[in-house]
Amino acid sequence: MASIREPEYDSNDSHGPVQSEPPITNDPLDRGTIKDAAAGLPAVLSSMQYAWEEMGVARSAITLLSLNQAGGIVCPSCAWPEPDGHRPPVEFCENGARAVADEATLKRITPEFFARYSVAELSEQSDYWLNKQGRLTEPMVLTRGATHYRPISWNDAFTLIAIELRRLSSPNEAVFYTSGRTSNEAAFLYQLFVRQFGTNNLPDCSNMCHESTSVALAESIGIGKGTVTLEDFAKASTILLLGQNPGTNHPRMLIALQEAKRNGATIIAANPLPETGLMAFNHPQEVRGMLGLSTKLTDLFLQVRINGDMALLKGIMKDMLEQEAANPGTVLDHDFIAAQTSGFEAFAAALRAMPWDEIVTESGIAREQIHEAATILARSQGTITCWAMGLTQHKNAVATIQEIVHLHLLRGQIGKPGAGLCPVRGHSNVQGDRTMGIWEKPKPEFLDSLAAEFGFEPPREHGYDTVKAIKAMHDGVVKVLFALGGNFLSATPDTTYTAEALRRCRLTVQVSTKLNRAHLVTGEQALILPCLGRTEIDMQASGPQFVSTENSMGVVQRSQGKLAPGSPQLRSEVAIVAELAQTVLGARSTIPWAALAANYDQIRTHISHVIPGCENYNERVRVAGGFYLPNAAREGRFNIPGGRAPFLIYDLPRYELAPGQLVMMTIRSHAQFNTTIYGLHDRYRGLYHERRIVLMNIQDIQASGLAAGDIVDLVSYFEGVERVAAHFTVVDYPIPLRCAATYFPEANVLVPIESVAERSNTPTSKFVIISLRRAVPTA
């Protein structure tokens, strides 16, 4: 069996012994209590402390009071929407406050910092330490064989990129990655440049999170987006939450859940962990909330096994069929099924034939609880189902999400007020980037519109998604990586493999605001290009500019920075893309790149001609609150062949664990957004000071001959390859038997590059089979 151990150093790297993984620490884990309710006074104090430490009091007030306000700054954190009408003066959460404070920090990284620290020395620091150093201020280059970054002019940086791109035998030897932070204007310009350069190699962060959602919903209802608005939550009878942790990952959602509860809604939550944000909420803008008088959220909590959601959904639907058989006409919406769906009879027959013992075993939920959930949903006049990455990062993710669609089809719960599908996206413009054309598999209609608007023939061959891009770099096929935002190394699976892939590139380029590990594990040459953040004033030749984003519910709205740029050397993402395109393409492009960068209205004019639903973009985006993109499924129409949403038949996923093996999922801490680590305290779970931990059921700990607090190495197995992550502290936690949870990116080294979701190719970061070994004591 081949073995891949998490390396401390790679001594063969030309830039010195660079560490690809966060370092092992010896800080003792402190245990507190699992909190009963999310937010409240502790969230307010945490937000203010972080903001004041990073920005100071006055700067914090200016920034936070404009956050998520009409004409203000769209939060760079999650994609949860704002109310359509009146917005309260404070429309941000703890995570949002930390995100903008992190971006608007007064700390700066200057060339002297890079002269002081070699790349190898920086790699020995934690991700938390790297992020805390402050904003990047100047373009930096790491030349072949160098141990330190040094300053480089913008012109020379663009020239270096152009030289390397022109050296390629084919445009397909370059990959252009995008983060969900990128604005609509930058994303549209970026994909335009990349396609005129000649490739569709446009992987993005959605490939690793909600790609399964996009595939599943596009096949089932004709659009890869949700079908509800924020106002639907106040009208819902039942809300079903699957595979998500709103208190940490999208806290403003708790306000919508609270309003729904006060209007009489029932909430069912299914998750392997009993997350605080699922259970109760202390509204920090209400006296009751500040006094700790919480609103109970979840009425029925179903603690499913990891990846037990499909079995649970099948069980609920099977029970509903049984209730319908006992009382015909009381559960199913037969008129809706007959008029707007196909395949119901075969689907129902398959459900009836499925044994209950298999459903109970695979879900981990008792038959009585499944019946209770089914009864609630069978009586619900309006059901909204929400889900996140707890569902999307499994081999069977697409099928599981389509089972959610089936549940809604049974009762006609799509295209009506207070009902529908709600995938909760985790990054502020990940949905908008896809709308703007950031996709490795563009539709022919989009390419036709692009060709008509700009007078060139875009490439038609599909490009690489994120996993395929990593493999192509590893195989030496891709030689240049350009990343518009993000932390590519830490966000991707199989860290050791990905690090090897990056080191095989001739050039890696990162457009960034803060220092991260992707700047340290690089190709033969590397560039750091510092860009403006959303909080900063974007001044171009025609005057101050604004950008726009799309939230989880398809609302496009403007965002305009309020703060002076952190350095005169910073450039906007739009300006970087435009000058890159001009330098690389030269005379072969007739697109007026400089003029587009000088006035973003011109970019939006082109968007209005190319992207359906974006007509009159400039006028509509200036209206307070922005505008909704068209969504036929929201109106009860399914834009798929035949116009009928299909009932599809899937087998239950089954797996066998050897003795001592567990199924591991990766999770965020409460002091974390994606790969950005704000602190070392996971307040809601009562875990402090240490991130290299593994949450386990006490019975599994005892069966392994271990005790809470023991130090172990985690070992994953996949297709004959063993991967090892060293030095994790065992934590007893209320998690189902044979299940475990660890933080990412520390445990990403265990996620196999070959283990992906069917049809979406999303890494299976929520389903990794591991075993534990006692760690060898460190000095």
Side-chain angles (χ1 to χ4, degrees), residues 237-238 316-317 320-321 323-324 327 329-338 340-341 344 347 373-383 404-416 419-420 647:
S237 300
T238 304
I316 289 171
M317 291 186 287
M320 291 169 67
L321 291 179
Q323 293 188 43
E324 171 71 15
N327 296 282
T330 63
V331 177
L332 304 187
D333 188 334
H334 292 283
D335 291 341
F336 182 91
I337 291 171
Q340 296 190 251
T341 75
F344 169 72
F347 173 82
T375 301
I376 294 169
L377 291 164
R379 297 172 181 172
S380 174
Q381 296 306 303
T383 298
I404 296 173
V405 178
H406 301 154
L407 176 64
H408 282 255
L409 296 178
L410 288 178
R411 289 187 44 76
Q413 300 282 3
I414 300 178
K416 59 184 285 187
F647 283 96

Side-chain angles (χ1 to χ4, degrees), residues 28 109 262 570 601 658:
I109 293 179
R262 289 176 174 174
L570 301 184
D601 276 356

Side-chain angles (χ1 to χ4, degrees), residues 161 175-178 190 480-484 509 511 529 576 580:
I161 299 168
V175 160
F176 300 88
Y177 177 78
T178 313
Y190 190 48
V480 175
L481 169 69
F482 189 101
L484 190 61
V509 184
V511 178
L529 303 182
I576 291 171
L580 174 66

Side-chain angles (χ1 to χ4, degrees), residues 401-473:
I401 294 164
Q402 289 177 331
E403 297 287 11
I404 296 173
V405 178
H406 301 154
L407 176 64
H408 282 255
L409 296 178
L410 288 178
R411 289 187 44 76
Q413 300 282 3
I414 300 178
K416 59 184 285 187
L421 308 170
C422 183
V424 184
R425 311 262 178 184
H427 209 162
S428 61
N429 200 40
V430 64
Q431 188 163 295
D433 288 348
R434 179 60 56 87
T435 300
M436 293 296 113
I438 299 294
W439 195 21
E440 73 280 357
K441 295 183 286 189
K443 292 182 179 180
E445 299 84 358
F446 172 79
L447 297 178
D448 291 343
S449 294
L450 206 64
E453 180 71 7
F454 293 102
F456 77 99
E457 180 54 36
R460 302 281 168 164
E461 179 186 2
H462 286 175
Y464 297 130
D465 62 21
T466 299
V467 167
K468 290 180 180 178
I470 294 169
K471 290 181 178 180
M473 287 187 282

